[in-house]
Amino acid sequence: MDIEELRTFVEVADAGGITAAAQRLGVAKSVVSRRLARLEEALGIQLLARTTRGASLTEAGATFRDYAARVTAEIDNARDILLPTGELRGRLRIAAPLSFGSTHLAPIFAELARQHPHLHVHACYSDRHVDLVAEGYDCAIRLGYLPDSNLIARRVGPIYGKLVASPAYVRSHGAPQAPDALSQHECLMQGTESWQFMDGDSVVTVRPQGRFKGDNGTALVAAALAGLGIAMLPEGLVTAQLEAGTLVAVMEPYPVRPAGMFVVRPPTPHPARKVKALTELLIECFAEHAPVPATRI
């Protein structure tokens, strides 16, 4: 057996099937099947019960999965320790936000791949909150204010937001002058989030209400342009619209509380070199000040 066979088995076990594992690994299903067959032959046991709906772990497979995961993690750690300046290899799987990620992060991921020609960079863009461990991601880029969890986070830069609306909306409904006035306006949201503003040194929290919701920033920009209400969005998503005058900033005396951009990873003792390389590149591109230490969130 070899390390790729073990890694492939762990992916199949965690993904719940060969098809999903092949997508994670970026290889054909036939490659995954061959690796599994060789591993089972070498061990002399059946690890997976295959059905038309997928594959499930046998009792032996469930036991072996934890050993295989530890072995692959230890080998990766050993490689990083023994070859601290060697070429980055293997696969880096990143979960990134949809709107901001495809415009602002994709060029950085491409630069990482250019700098490390033996590294396979797989980025998934979605505003869905992914489970890093269960879904097999090495790390995620998250924006905003992070909730408590057992994950490890590293702040790589600031994110500034703007409260914006179309000129037509402002003409018809006016512009809020203070946070408590937002209750009289249609707000465009991703879900049931709260909005935070600065009143001097104090933070004011508002729970907005509105009839239009979208699960990504691009959808909210479109709704704001259509005059449906007021949106809170990262500056980077609305710079062009503000410059063109198709959107205007509102309630500027109460700026949006600055948020952060974070690299979040599973709670392993040491980050993989590939995650560290991505983190350092993001800091170089986005950070205004010296980075803060990694913290558990």
Side-chain angles (χ1 to χ4, degrees), residues 86-91 112-121:
E87 280 283 355
L88 291 179
R89 296 178 179 272
R91 175 179 56 102
L112 182 71
R114 188 196 67 79
Q115 292 180 8
H116 303 281
H118 298 291
L119 181 67
H120 295 253
V121 179

Side-chain angles (χ1 to χ4, degrees), residues 16-276:
I18 291 174
T19 300
Q23 292 172 345
R24 287 188 184 187
L25 293 166
V27 300
K29 290 193 295 182
S30 59
V31 172
V32 173
S33 296
R34 285 196 297 271
R35 289 175 181 173
L36 290 174
R38 288 197 299 266
L39 181 60
E40 289 180 323
E41 182 179 358
L43 292 170
I45 56 175
Q46 183 179 357
L47 299 172
L48 295 163
R50 297 162 179 80
T51 68
T52 55
R53 293 185 177 182
S56 59
L57 292 173
T58 63
E59 183 177 352
T63 300
F64 186 68
R65 183 265 169 213
D66 292 338
Y67 287 101
R70 286 198 293 270
V71 168
T72 55
E74 288 299 325
I75 289 177
D76 288 341
N77 288 336
R79 182 184 292 119
D80 286 349
I81 293 170
L82 295 173
L83 302 171
T85 59
E87 280 283 355
L88 291 179
R89 296 178 179 272
R91 175 179 56 102
L92 175 61
R93 197 157 183 259
I94 313 163
L98 175 60
S99 305
F100 188 87
S102 58
T103 54
H104 292 71
L105 297 176
I108 298 172
F109 299 159
E111 174 61 17
L112 182 71
R114 188 196 67 79
Q115 292 180 8
H116 303 281
H118 298 291
L119 181 67
H120 295 253
V121 179
H122 296 184
C124 177
Y125 299 94
S126 171
D127 285 333
R128 180 177 62 86
H129 194 81
V130 302
D131 184 325
L132 299 186
V133 176
E135 299 183 48
Y137 286 96
D138 296 293
C139 63
I141 313 299
R142 291 184 178 159
L143 312 180
Y145 320 107
L146 295 183
D148 291 337
S149 79
N150 67 342
L151 300 176
I152 305 298
R154 177 74 176 271
R155 184 181 184 276
V156 296
I159 293 292
Y160 298 105
K162 284 283 190 183
L163 207 62
V164 299
S166 71
Y169 179 88
V170 173
R171 285 194 299 269
S172 298
H173 304 278
Q177 300 303 309
D180 59 2
L182 283 169
S183 62
Q184 307 302 315
H185 288 268
E186 284 286 337
C187 296
L188 311 173
M189 300 169 291
Q190 290 200 23
T192 58
E193 71 269 22
S194 59
W195 290 357
Q196 296 186 341
F197 304 94
M198 301 305 301
D199 182 2
D201 293 330
S202 300
V203 176
V204 179
T205 300
V206 173
R207 291 202 171 273
Q209 299 295 321
R211 65 187 181 87
F212 186 93
K213 295 183 179 182
D215 67 357
N216 64 82
T218 301
L220 299 183
V221 171
L225 289 169
L228 295 181
I230 298 172
M232 178 189 286
L233 294 163
E235 284 186 352
L237 286 184
V238 294
T239 298
Q241 292 84 355
L242 291 171
E243 290 176 351
T246 53
L247 291 177
V248 295
V250 299
M251 214 173 74
E252 292 188 282
Y254 297 87
V256 175
R257 178 190 172 198
M261 180 191 308
F262 300 86
V263 176
V264 180
R265 63 176 178 85
T268 53
H270 304 287
R273 281 180 58 225
K274 56 192 177 183
V275 175
K276 291 176 63 176

